[in-house]
Amino acid sequence: QVQLVESGGGLVQPGGSLRLSCAASGSIASIYVMGWYRQAPGKERELVARITRGGSTNYADSVKGRFTISRDNAKNTVYLQMNNLKPEDTAVYYCNGDIRSDPRYGLINYWGQGTQVTVSS
């Protein structure tokens, strides 16, 4: 079984920074795309950023220039550095990954349990 565990959320003032981490553990043969999504109250879950195993990235327009996604393949971990945070960034942030547990089988999409980010003065 595979688990994604996020950490690093919290309360921050507008203009502040936070760094989220997501570590994948369990039976892992390889990890392909990893990403961060967020869901604010009353809104649908939306993509924030994602990164391929090779390091190619894409971002939501609302976070470009402020957020940076990165990954450490040796540690099966993905990070989200969030700078110049705004109140509208307040949401539960979820880690997501396409993971192959066994070379004989296909990819399975996994979600973490989420971590709350609150931007408020």
Side-chain angles (χ1 to χ4, degrees):
Q1 190 60 278
V2 173
Q3 284 189 317
L4 299 180
V5 179
E6 301 104 333
S7 60
L11 173 64
V12 64
Q13 292 187 342
S17 298
L18 282 175
R19 188 191 193 209
L20 305 183
S21 299
C22 170
S25 63
S27 177
I28 297 172
S30 56
I31 302 176
Y32 292 84
V33 177
M34 297 192 79
W36 289 95
Y37 290 72
R38 66 186 181 187
Q39 188 166 19
K43 294 188 177 181
E44 293 187 354
R45 191 173 297 187
E46 64 176 359
L47 173 68
V48 176
R50 58 187 174 191
I51 183 169
T52 68
R53 184 172 180 83
S56 297
T57 59
N58 64 292
Y59 296 89
D61 288 343
S62 59
V63 307
K64 283 180 181 177
R66 299 188 298 122
F67 292 9
T68 302
I69 190 170
S70 60
R71 63 190 284 173
D72 185 332
N73 291 331
K75 296 182 178 179
N76 291 333
T77 299
V78 63
Y79 306 95
L80 186 68
Q81 178 66 43
M82 303 185 294
N83 297 328
N84 190 21
L85 283 159
K86 303 176 180 180
E88 51 263 42
D89 294 317
T90 296
V92 178
Y93 283 70
Y94 297 91
C95 177
N96 179 268
D98 290 329
I99 298 172
R100 190 186 306 274
S101 297
D102 187 300
R104 297 170 294 176
Y105 304 133
L107 294 172
I108 297 176
N109 188 256
Y110 291 92
W111 290 93
Q113 81 286 353
T115 185
Q116 177 71 46
V117 171
T118 302
V119 185
S120 175
S121 55

